[in-house]
Amino acid sequence: MTARRPRSAAPEPASGAAPPGPARPTRPTRPTPAGVGRAAPLAAEDRGRLLAGAHHDPHALLGAHPVSGGLLVRALRPFARAVDVVAPGLRVPLHSEGDGLFAGVLPLAEVPAYALLVEYDDTTVTVPDAYRFLPAVGELDLHLFAEGRHEQLWQALGARVMTHQGVSGTRFTVWAPNARGVRVVGNFNHWDGTGNPMRSLGSSGVWELFLPGLGEGELYKFEITRPDGSRTVRADPMARRTECPPATASVVHASHHAWQDADWMARRGARPVHAAPFSVYEVHLASWRPGLTYRQLAAQLPAYVKDLGFTHVEFMPVAEHPFGGSWGYQVTGFYAPTARMGTPDDFKFLVDALHRAGIGVLMDWVPAHFPRDAWALAEFDGRPLYEPGDPARAAHPDWGTLEFDYGRTEVRNFLVANAVYWCEEFHIDGLRVDAVASMLYLDYSREEGDWTPNVHGGRENLDAVTFLQEMNATVYRRCPGVVTVAEESTAWDGVTRATHHVGPGGFGGLGFGLKWNMGWMHDSLGYVEKEPVHRKYHHGEMTFSMVYAYSENYVLPISHDEVVHGKRALVSKMPGDWWQRRANHRAYLGFMWAHPGKQLLFMGQEFAQGAEWAEQHGPDWWLLDPSYEAEPDHRGVRDLVRELNHRYAATPALWERDTDPAGFGWIDGDASEDNVFSFLRHAADGSPLIALSNFSPVVRHAYRLGVPGDVPVWREVLNTDDPRFGGSGVTNPDPLKTEPVAANGRRTSIAVVLPPLATVWLVPA
C-alpha cells in the first residue's frame, strides 16, 4: 500500500506486537542495531518481472526469509522515502535498492510478527507486511475448484474480509490461469498495483494476496499481465458488491444483515411447488416505482403484492449489469446485486420483507451469455477463459455477447456456485433460467456450416446439458423448497424430468421444477388478438395446449417480453373498442387462471395499462389516480386480478393437480362456432370447478353444458363481467340446478347464462 491509510479501521497489531503508532509528518530518529547488513540484490530477471507485474511468486522475493547470517526482509513500496521493520523491541531501517524496493538482513533467527513503518513525503504509515502471511485460501478450496465441485465458491474466490494469522484485512483471490502476473489495484493504492503483486497458487490458476488493514468499502480491480506482456484491468468476477454503473470497480463487502424470515424458510418447502398455489407478479425493480431504493421498495412492494394475492414475485435480473437498457440480461457482476438501488444488504432487506409478508421471491438468472466489456469477463486473462476458444463458437449470434464454455470445469463451477449463492446468501426461492434454448442447441440462430456437431453428430450442446443437470441437482439438494424454472422455447424432451430418468432421446431430464409454456402464450395471444368473428377459425389455438399440458410442469407466462418492442400491452392486443378490449383482457385472465399450469403476469398488466412497458418510466400508475376519468376502468381490472388470486388460492382444484391429467376434463372443447371453451378442474379429493369462457361479444342465454351428475347444484363464484370489474353485469346470481338433460356426452346438464367476452367459474353450491 502507499501513502493513504485505508478508510477501514486501523489494522490489529500482530500477536505479541505493540499497537502501531499514529502517522507522523516527519521522520523520527531511528535506532539502528549493529550488524544490519545489505541484502544480496535480486536477480535481474526476478527484479524485472516483479516490477513489471509479471512474477508468479512475489512472496518468494518479498517479505521475510531466513538467509545465512540472519533474516532477509525485502519490501516493495513505490514512492516511499524510507521503510523500517518494526516489532516488539525492534525497529530496523531497510536499505533502498531503487524502484521502491527496500531490503536488509536482520540479525534474527526467527521471523517476528513484524510490521512496516513506511515514510512518504507527506506522511508515515505503519502496517503489517502483506508478504509475511501464508496463503489465506486452503488446499481443499483449490482442490474442489479444480474438480468443479466447490459449491460455495464465493467463500474461496473474490475479496473477503477476514482475520488471518491474528491480523484483520482482506484476502483477494482470482482465477486467471493464463496470466503472467496479477496485481491488486484500488483506491487504497491510488490504482497503482506495483506494490501489491499476487502469488500464483500452483496449477490451480488461482492468484492470492492478503492485504492487512483493508476493510469494507474499498474499491478494487485486478491488473492482469497477459501472456503477450500487455496489461488489462478487470473487475472481480466474484465481486459481491460493485460501484454503481457507469462506474465499474468492485467493492470489498461483508454482510451484516440479520435475517428475520426463519418461519418462511422453514415452511417454504412443505408442499411441492407443482402441487401448490403459484401465482407470480413479474417486476423490473428499477422501474416498478422509478427512483426507489431496495429499502424503499421494501416499504411498498410487499404490501402491494400481498393485497393483490400473488404468491410470488419474480425479479427481472438483479445481478450487476452495465447497461440499464439490457434490463439486466447482460450481466457483468454475477455475484453482486445491482448497486443502482443500494447495497447487497439492502437487497437482502427487500427479500426479507417479502418473506415476512408471506411472498416468495424468484429472480431471473442469466447463465447463457455475458457481454464483451473490456473490464469484465471477455478474454479475462488475455485468452478466452469463460468463453470457448473458438470465436465462432463463443459469439452469441443474437445479442452480440459471448457464450460460456460449459465444458470447462472451473467455468461450470463458477455458474453452479452462483445459482447456489443467490439461494443461500439472499434466500431466493426460485431461479428462472433465461434463454435455456440458446444453451441447449449448437445451431441456435446459426446457419448451416456455422456450427460444429457434437461427438455423436447431433445439434445438442452436451456440455450445456451436463451443466444444467448439475446446476439443478445441486440447487435442489442444497436448498430445500427452492424451485428452478426454465425459459425453454422448444420441445426439448424432459426439461422438468428428473436428471436420472433417461428419455427417448437418450438424455436424462434437465431437472427443472417448472418450464415456461411459450407455446400456450404464443397460441392463446394469437387467438385473442383476432376479431371475435374470426376466432372460430382459430379455435384450436386455445385447445392445443391441452395436447401437451402434462408433458412438463408448466408456467403460463404473460411476461415483459410480450408487452415491449411493438408487441403492445396486453389490453392493447385485444380487438374492439375500449370496453371490448377490457372485457377481452378480463376474460383472458380468467381463462389463464383456470387453465392447468401456474400463472405469471408482468407489472402494469394487472390494471390494464394501455401503453407498452418502458424501463425509463415503468408502469403508468397515474391510471389509478382517482382524479383520472377512466380510473374505474383500470381499478376494475386490478380488482379482478385480486379476486382471481384469492379465489385461486382458496380452490385446490385450480392448482393441486396441475401436473395430473386426472385433474382436467373438457366439457366442450369444440364449440368453435360459439367461441366458447368449457372444462372441469378437479382437486385431489375430487372437488370440481367449472370454467367457462365466452370469447364472443354476445350474451348466450340458457347455454346448455353437460356436468357431473353427483353435484346437484352449482353456484357462480367468479364472473369477469361483474360490474365490480368494469363488466356489463350479466351474471348467474341464482343457484344452477343439475337437470336430467343430456349434453356434451353426459346424462345431466345445467343451463347457464354466458356473459359477453367473459369467463365464469362455478363450484358446487
Side-chain angles (χ1 to χ4, degrees):
M1 296 193 305
T2 55
R4 191 178 65 77
R5 182 181 293 278
R7 293 196 303 265
S8 55
E12 297 178 7
S15 177
R24 290 179 291 275
T26 58
R27 183 176 178 84
T29 303
R30 297 176 297 149
T32 306
V36 176
R38 289 187 175 274
L42 289 175
E45 181 182 1
D46 279 338
R47 182 186 180 100
R49 289 168 56 202
L50 178 65
L51 295 175
H55 203 288
H56 71 287
D57 190 11
H59 289 69
L61 309 179
L62 304 176
H65 303 275
V67 295
S68 177
L71 188 71
L72 166 63
V73 178
R74 178 173 280 111
L76 177 55
R77 291 284 156 171
F79 310 112
R81 290 178 55 187
V83 177
D84 292 3
V85 175
V86 294
L90 176 71
R91 181 172 173 186
V92 180
L94 300 179
H95 302 285
S96 174
E97 298 182 326
D99 296 320
L101 285 164
F102 296 83
V105 178
L106 284 60
L108 299 173
E110 297 182 353
V111 179
Y114 70 93
L116 299 176
L117 190 152
V118 186
E119 179 185 340
Y120 296 96
D121 288 338
D122 57 354
T123 189
T124 300
V125 298
T126 302
V127 65
D129 184 4
Y131 295 89
R132 73 171 174 85
F133 294 93
L134 296 171
V137 60
E139 290 293 331
L140 179 59
D141 288 318
L142 299 177
H143 172 75
L144 290 174
F145 180 47
E147 293 290 318
R149 291 292 182 268
H150 203 309
E151 295 172 357
Q152 292 183 306
L153 186 62
W154 64 94
Q155 295 187 4
L157 298 184
R160 185 178 181 185
V161 178
M162 63 192 309
T163 298
H164 181 47
Q165 295 178 217
V167 178
S168 63
T170 298
R171 181 204 67 198
F172 295 90
T173 44
V174 64
W175 179 56
N178 297 307
R180 290 176 59 185
V182 183
R183 301 191 286 205
V184 183
V185 297
N187 55 349
F188 47 86
N189 61 17
H190 304 290
W191 300 96
D192 181 348
T194 304
N196 297 131
M198 305 175 74
R199 63 179 150 204
S200 173
L201 299 179
S203 62
S204 67
V206 174
W207 299 75
E208 182 266 356
L209 180 64
F210 175 73
L211 289 181
L214 250 61
E216 299 174 50
E218 299 287 357
L219 306 181
Y220 73 99
K221 286 186 176 181
F222 296 112
E223 181 189 76
I224 297 172
T225 302
R226 300 182 178 107
D228 64 1
S230 63
R231 296 177 190 162
T232 180
V233 178
R234 299 296 176 123
D236 182 1
M238 301 290 297
R240 290 186 282 170
R241 183 180 170 190
T242 67
E243 282 190 289
C244 185
T248 60
S250 304
V251 183
V252 176
H253 173 70
S255 178
H256 301 285
H257 180 75
W259 288 96
Q260 302 177 49
D261 63 349
D263 289 344
W264 170 269
M265 296 294 286
R267 61 183 169 83
R268 70 176 179 181
R271 184 192 292 269
V273 68
H274 64 274
F278 194 87
S279 176
V280 183
Y281 182 60
E282 187 188 21
V283 176
H284 180 254
L285 279 176
S287 69
W288 185 73
R289 295 279 192 181
L292 295 191
T293 65
Y294 290 128
R295 290 182 181 267
Q296 291 168 335
L297 283 163
Q300 298 187 31
L301 184 61
Y304 184 80
V305 176
K306 186 177 181 66
D307 174 66
L308 289 184
F310 288 97
T311 65
H312 291 73
V313 293
E314 179 180 315
F315 299 151
M316 291 168 67
V318 297
E320 193 59 270
H321 49 284
F323 176 47
S326 76
W327 310 333
Y329 289 99
Q330 295 197 7
V331 178
T332 49
F334 282 81
Y335 283 78
T338 179
R340 290 170 173 86
M341 291 166 283
T343 69
D345 275 3
D346 294 336
F347 180 64
K348 289 181 179 180
F349 185 88
L350 172 59
V351 175
D352 210 345
L354 285 159
H355 283 173
R356 285 184 280 115
I359 299 161
V361 180
L362 287 74
M363 60 168 274
D364 280 15
W365 185 55
V366 192
H369 62 129
F370 58 91
R372 296 175 179 265
D373 298 74
W375 49 269
L377 296 184
E379 293 193 353
F380 181 76
D381 58 3
R383 292 177 181 167
L385 186 65
Y386 290 88
E387 68 271 37
D390 179 358
R393 177 68 191 87
H396 198 292
D398 289 344
W399 303 313
T401 53
L402 295 169
E403 299 185 11
F404 281 101
D405 184 356
Y406 304 109
R408 183 154 192 168
T409 300
E410 297 92 342
V411 174
R412 195 166 62 246
N413 196 162
F414 172 82
L415 292 171
V416 171
N418 187 241
V420 173
Y421 171 75
W422 289 102
C423 298
E424 290 191 352
E425 292 291 315
F426 292 93
H427 291 197
I428 296 297
D429 304 297
L431 299 172
R432 178 268 195 183
V433 183
D434 181 64
V436 171
S438 74
M439 302 163 65
L440 290 174
Y441 296 99
L442 295 168
D443 62 345
Y444 184 86
S445 286
R446 291 179 168 89
E447 300 295 332
E448 191 68 34
D450 292 340
W451 60 281
T452 303
N454 63 34
V455 293
H456 305 298
R459 57 197 285 253
E460 300 86 2
N461 187 335
L462 304 180
D463 292 331
V465 171
T466 299
F467 156 66
L468 291 170
Q469 291 173 328
E470 181 181 346
M471 180 276 297
N472 281 312
T474 304
V475 167
Y476 277 104
R477 173 171 49 80
R478 292 189 63 101
C479 309
V482 167
V483 62
T484 59
V485 186
E487 187 216 12
E488 201 286 307
S489 55
T490 73
W492 183 279
D493 177 60
V495 172
T496 59
R497 190 171 62 233
T499 58
H500 61 281
H501 289 168
V502 178
F507 293 100
L510 296 183
F512 285 93
L514 297 168
K515 172 183 172 175
W516 273 22
N517 193 336
M518 310 295 281
W520 172 88
M521 176 275 298
H522 181 270
D523 291 345
S524 63
L525 289 180
Y527 175 86
V528 294
E529 288 175 0
K530 303 290 191 303
E531 290 285 349
V533 68
H534 300 303
R535 285 174 175 168
K536 64 181 179 181
Y537 304 111
H538 301 273
H539 196 80
E541 294 175 18
M542 289 288 266
T543 60
F544 180 66
S545 59
M546 292 312 304
V547 173
Y548 61 87
Y550 302 104
S551 61
E552 303 281 3
N553 304 333
Y554 282 117
V555 175
L556 312 179
I558 301 299
S559 74
H560 65 278
D561 274 332
E562 310 317 315
V563 296
V564 292
H565 298 327
K567 295 181 182 179
R568 297 170 294 169
L570 183 57
V571 73
S572 298
K573 297 176 189 286
M574 307 301 177
D577 59 23
W578 175 231
W579 189 94
Q580 289 176 321
R581 292 203 300 274
R582 285 184 293 119
N584 272 293
H585 183 103
R586 295 191 305 267
Y588 181 75
L589 292 179
F591 176 84
M592 172 181 173
W593 254 252
H595 191 285
K598 312 306 179 183
Q599 296 79 37
L600 179 141
L601 189 66
F602 183 60
M603 63 184 195
Q605 313 316 300
E606 78 273 17
F607 57 84
Q609 172 177 316
E612 288 187 339
W613 168 66
E615 78 276 2
Q616 297 91 342
H617 59 74
D620 291 334
W621 296 110
W622 58 270
L623 296 172
L624 297 169
D625 188 327
S627 65
Y628 174 54
E629 182 180 5
E631 181 268 345
D633 297 344
H634 298 279
R635 175 169 40 83
V637 174
R638 189 171 66 169
D639 289 345
L640 170 65
V641 171
R642 180 188 297 108
E643 184 73 10
L644 284 169
N645 276 325
H646 286 292
R647 288 286 177 187
Y648 167 78
T651 309
L654 291 174
W655 43 263
E656 204 167 37
R657 301 171 81 176
D658 264 336
T659 60
D660 181 358
F664 175 90
W666 286 111
I667 294 175
D668 191 348
D670 296 321
S672 57
E673 291 293 330
D674 299 332
N675 294 351
V676 171
F677 304 88
S678 54
F679 54 85
L680 281 157
R681 298 294 307 277
H682 294 281
D685 65 1
S687 302
L689 175 140
I690 293 175
L692 309 166
S693 293
N694 176 19
F695 284 101
S696 64
V698 299
V699 180
R700 301 195 181 278
H701 297 279
Y703 196 82
R704 184 66 60 177
L705 289 172
V707 297
D710 57 349
V711 179
V713 181
W714 299 82
R715 63 185 176 92
E716 183 178 276
V717 293
L718 181 130
N719 187 324
T720 65
D721 196 47
D722 192 305
R724 293 182 298 150
F725 311 136
S728 63
V730 177
T731 64
N732 293 272
D734 300 322
L736 300 167
K737 295 182 180 180
T738 300
E739 301 172 311
V741 178
N744 306 121
R746 289 184 169 89
R747 296 180 179 180
T748 54
S749 61
I750 57 175
V752 61
V753 176
L754 295 186
L757 301 173
T759 291
V760 173
W761 293 356
L762 308 174
V763 299

